[in-house]
Amino acid sequence: FLRAALSPGKQSPFEVKSLPVGKVTAASVQSATVAILADVNVPVSLASELKRLLKRGGGVLMLPGSSVKPDAFAAALGELAPCKLAKVVARKRPDGSPLEAGLSSLDYTHPAFEVFLAPHHGDFGTIRFKRYWEASGAQLSRVLAKYDDGRPAILERKVAKGTCVLWLSAVDLGWSNLPFRAIYLPMLHQTIRYLAVRTEQRTGYTVGEVLPVPQGGTLLGPDGAAIEGAPIATAPGFHQRIDADGGKLTLAVNVPAAESDEAVMSDKEIAATVKPAPEKKARTTLEESADPAGQGDRGLW
């Protein structure tokens, strides 16, 4: 589910590399902007590399599932994780059927969730959790969301220049219906973007700005074509920078925020941009209206 959500097509804003935990090297961690720990027990040796990633401003997203052992998690990630893992909660009704939990108390002031505050921008109420982790030792972390029983659901912790976010449930159908909900992809993408922009390198720009392309590098526009001449962002969309050494970086270009403000243009300016119907066509319409007195002119115009 993670691989499909992060690499939906050629225009994906992410360059994803998936490795078994046993094959992850120091070089692979240090070449990453964000590391995602998807239901894995992390060895202590790898934890030191994650710490280096966070120190330089990178991000770590933790998604513990059934494979994760709380003791091993604490031993390897205790200095980095927003909390410790206590136990898996799987509530039951009196008749023994699952009592699913929902999300509540989302922190819409947080950059990862503020986009969902606008109307029709995501319904978290459709997510149902069959199982989730109970946290302990989270007093110094920021709670971004809770389950409806009051337990933390998403936690954040600042580590040096970086940020670590922990979802207390696996992205797995055995744990929740999240992978099948429409909110899943934007929720994951927003979290990854938030963790990525915590790095020292800027990745967000506005149309009209000059994009940073080192000497010998190439800039591809949203259509995949190389941009010749000055690397000026002339269109919104994801641009890809390819450095001389083969390194790649995705740059997101947006339209100026002022363009979405309807108060910027006066009513006269808006009216001036609307072309009136050709005069001949207007006369024809009037003639066909069977209104010789011209009383219907105002309505037709």
Side-chain angles (χ1 to χ4, degrees):
F1 294 114
L2 280 171
R3 196 176 295 113
L6 295 176
S7 300
K10 294 181 179 179
Q11 295 301 317
S12 170
F14 308 108
E15 181 181 350
V16 182
K17 185 176 183 179
S18 178
L19 292 172
V21 68
K23 294 186 177 182
V24 177
T25 64
S28 60
V29 175
Q30 294 313 308
S31 66
T33 303
V34 178
I36 302 176
L37 309 181
D39 192 19
V40 293
N41 286 299
V42 176
V44 175
S45 58
L46 179 56
S48 62
E49 296 302 326
L50 294 173
K51 188 174 183 178
R52 288 179 58 196
L53 171 64
L54 290 164
K55 280 186 174 181
R56 66 176 173 85
V60 176
L61 175 60
M62 300 178 177
L63 306 171
S66 303
S67 300
V68 175
K69 309 300 180 185
D71 290 343
F73 183 89
L77 302 172
E79 295 183 8
L80 310 178
C83 68
K84 295 180 180 179
L85 302 178
K87 63 180 181 179
V88 174
V89 178
R91 298 187 297 173
K92 300 289 184 180
R93 299 180 186 276
D95 61 2
S97 61
L99 178 59
E100 297 179 340
L103 286 180
S104 66
S105 304
L106 271 85
D107 185 354
Y108 289 107
T109 66
H110 191 272
F113 294 103
E114 61 185 1
V115 67
F116 300 111
L117 186 58
H120 313 298
H121 276 60
D123 183 4
F124 289 92
T126 63
I127 307 173
R128 309 306 298 173
F129 295 88
K130 302 174 186 176
R131 311 172 69 200
Y132 49 93
W133 286 98
E134 182 176 70
S136 65
Q139 293 85 352
L140 300 180
S141 298
R142 180 175 178 178
V143 179
L144 305 185
K146 295 180 180 181
Y147 295 112
D148 54 18
D149 64 359
R151 291 183 173 94
I154 303 176
L155 293 168
E156 176 191 62
R157 178 180 177 182
K158 305 295 184 183
V159 180
K161 295 181 180 180
T163 304
C164 181
V165 171
L166 171 63
W167 290 9
L168 285 157
S169 181
V171 182
D172 186 305
L173 293 179
W175 288 66
S176 75
N177 66 352
L178 176 58
F180 281 176
R181 299 296 92 194
I183 192 68
Y184 167 56
L185 190 145
M187 178 181 174
L188 180 63
H189 279 209
Q190 284 297 115
T191 301
I192 298 299
R193 285 192 180 98
Y194 167 70
L195 291 172
V197 299
R198 302 297 300 177
T199 59
E200 297 175 359
Q201 191 155 18
R202 180 185 174 190
T203 57
Y205 294 85
T206 302
V207 171
E209 288 190 289
V210 176
L211 303 180
V213 180
Q215 186 174 5
T218 303
L219 182 66
L220 305 181
D223 58 356
I227 296 178
E228 305 294 340
I232 299 175
T234 58
F238 293 109
H239 294 59
Q240 187 170 65
R241 191 185 80 186
I242 304 176
D243 297 340
D245 60 0
K248 297 180 180 180
L249 179 67
T250 298
L251 305 176
V253 176
N254 297 300
V255 296
E259 291 191 7
S260 62
D261 185 0
E262 65 274 14
V264 172
M265 294 182 66
S266 67
D267 54 349
K268 292 182 179 179
E269 289 175 310
I270 295 175
T273 64
V274 180
K275 294 182 178 179
E279 186 176 352
K280 184 176 181 180
K281 184 176 180 181
R283 289 199 185 100
T284 302
T285 305
L286 287 171
E287 291 168 359
E288 293 175 352
S289 69
D291 185 7
Q295 296 301 314
D297 288 9
R298 180 174 299 177
L300 289 169
W301 285 99

